[in-house]
Amino acid sequence: MQAKDRLIVALDVDTREEAIEIVRAVGDYCGLFKVGMQLHNNAGFSVTEEIMAMGYPVFLDLKFHDIPNTVGKAASVVSRRGVKMFTVHASGGADMLCKAVQGANSSGNSPVVLAVTVLTSVSQQVLNDEIGLAGPVEDHVVRFARLAQQAGVTGVVASPREIEPIRQACGNDFVIVTPGVRPVWAGGDDQARVMTPAEAIAAGASYLVVGRPITAAPDQAAAAQRIVEEMAEGLARRSHNRR
């Protein structure tokens, strides 16, 4: 895959009109578009179908987390609708993850199923003091990644800081989709565990999710191109390091 194909642009906006404007502006400079809860809950599934009808794959990021049977049926529904990727929470457990995979495969489309490990907004302090889980963030992320892989899940969503330990635990074929990516020329916003696009790709990320550095830029297409160039630099670094 080229660097462009690894870029997922997050459509974290309220309306169908805003989303389609972004798609038209940067569609030539990315591989997929992410539709999350903000846009989906306001515009419905029709915006996802419209984006796919324009020829662009969609990563549907609704983070299913419920009893196994419910998640399995939801996975079957979104898979039949033709999305390229969708998310479930790894903390739902092995049975729920297995049902998600079964639901996805029942459609015949076999989308990429991604388990969310630990949200990139969760710092070490929040994990320990507020959520009440002892130990380093990295340990929990790797444990969730192993659980997901054993359940047949295609990959995970994880912070760039955990890419290398996930690769060590789950191998090179496991898909890692990485939010928490901020180029040096953009602010950190509400992400706690971040890297630049070049760093994240060099570390082994399969895909990067980038939102505001592109969607809030005065020239969205130029911002996307700039990030793709940084990603290409990271791919070159990764290739060099494997020699």
Side-chain angles (χ1 to χ4, degrees), residues 177-197:
V177 174
T178 306
V181 175
R182 292 290 181 269
V184 293
W185 40 270
D189 299 310
D190 58 357
Q191 306 284 8
R193 308 189 315 279
V194 300
M195 277 186 181
T196 68

Side-chain angles (χ1 to χ4, degrees), residues 2 5-7 15 24 29 31 40 47-48 89 95 100 105 117 121 134 143 145 157 169 185 235 243:
Q2 297 179 346
D5 302 321
R6 298 175 183 270
L7 176 60
T15 67
R24 287 175 176 150
Y29 310 106
H40 181 84
V47 70
T48 290
H89 269 290
D95 191 18
N105 292 339
T117 55
S121 58
R143 180 169 54 83
V157 178
W185 40 270
L235 280 174
R243 290 175 187 169

Side-chain angles (χ1 to χ4, degrees), residues 65-108:
H65 193 181
D66 211 311
I67 62 172
N69 190 55
T70 297
V71 169
K73 289 181 177 178
S76 179
V77 168
V78 299
S79 300
R80 289 199 307 270
R81 304 291 281 271
V83 301
K84 178 75 172 179
M85 301 176 174
F86 70 90
T87 47
V88 298
H89 269 290
S91 58
D95 191 18
M96 191 203 80
L97 293 171
C98 288
K99 290 292 187 183
V101 173
Q102 291 169 11
N105 292 339
S106 70
S107 69

Side-chain angles (χ1 to χ4, degrees), residues 126-219:
V126 169
L127 184 76
N128 298 153
D129 298 343
E130 298 180 18
I131 298 176
L133 294 178
V137 170
E138 180 181 307
D139 290 354
H140 291 281
V141 170
V142 171
R143 180 169 54 83
F144 280 136
R146 284 190 177 125
L147 177 69
Q149 187 178 47
Q150 291 165 3
V153 172
T154 321
V156 292
V157 178
S159 151
R161 298 291 177 184
E162 286 86 49
I163 294 169
E164 290 188 20
I166 292 172
R167 281 274 169 256
Q168 292 172 4
C170 300
N172 291 328
D173 294 333
F174 198 57
V175 174
I176 303 175
V177 174
T178 306
V181 175
R182 292 290 181 269
V184 293
W185 40 270
D189 299 310
D190 58 357
Q191 306 284 8
R193 308 189 315 279
V194 300
M195 277 186 181
T196 68
E199 290 170 339
I201 287 291
S206 308
Y207 298 88
L208 304 185
V209 179
V210 182
R212 283 162 285 192
I214 293 173
T215 59
D219 187 333

